[in-house]
Amino acid sequence: MRAMFAVVRTGGKQYRVAAGDKIVVEKIDGDAGSSVTLGDVLLAGEGSEMKSVAGLTVAAEIVAQAKAEKVIVFKKRRRHNYRRRNGHRQNHTILKIVSVG
């Protein structure tokens, strides 16, 4: 028997998760060690057979609140002496999936 998996939506993105997985998602409020539930389950299954998603939730634990690598936004207009350099670091949350179901 294969492990139960689910496809959850959080932060506008979709993730395929199973118990024990670690995923990096858009920032979710909470401290490291606290637990969160992901209620927006789109699909669930075990192996190749699909399960009903009615009332299904995914329990996760926050491992850490972190920041992504810096992205440099550089704008330039040729022959107009116009240059703008801007940096951005996106906040994200590292989750460990505790259970599906």
Side-chain angles (χ1 to χ4, degrees):
M1 189 161 134
R2 292 183 206 89
M4 179 104 165
F5 72 90
V7 175
V8 295
R9 178 169 46 202
T10 175
K13 298 179 182 72
Q14 298 175 10
Y15 303 89
R16 183 191 189 277
V17 297
D21 287 357
K22 280 188 181 176
I23 57 172
V24 177
V25 299
E26 295 290 320
K27 186 167 186 348
I28 296 174
D29 289 335
D31 297 323
S34 63
S35 59
V36 294
T37 56
L38 306 172
D40 199 355
V41 179
L42 304 174
L43 184 90
E46 228 166 318
S48 61
E49 68 181 63
M50 295 298 126
K51 303 274 187 186
S52 169
V53 296
L56 201 70
T57 58
V58 174
E61 181 186 330
I62 296 177
V63 176
Q65 300 283 10
K67 279 184 145 187
E69 292 296 309
K70 181 171 271 195
V71 175
I72 302 298
V73 180
F74 186 76
K75 297 180 180 181
K76 179 182 177 174
R77 285 215 184 129
R78 235 162 37 138
R79 299 186 295 272
H80 286 279
N81 194 26
Y82 171 86
R83 287 182 293 279
R84 298 288 182 270
R85 182 182 180 278
N86 216 330
H88 175 75
R89 286 187 75 187
Q90 184 72 22
N91 292 315
H92 60 231
T93 303
I94 301 168
L95 294 179
K96 184 177 194 306
I97 305 300
V98 178
S99 67
V100 176

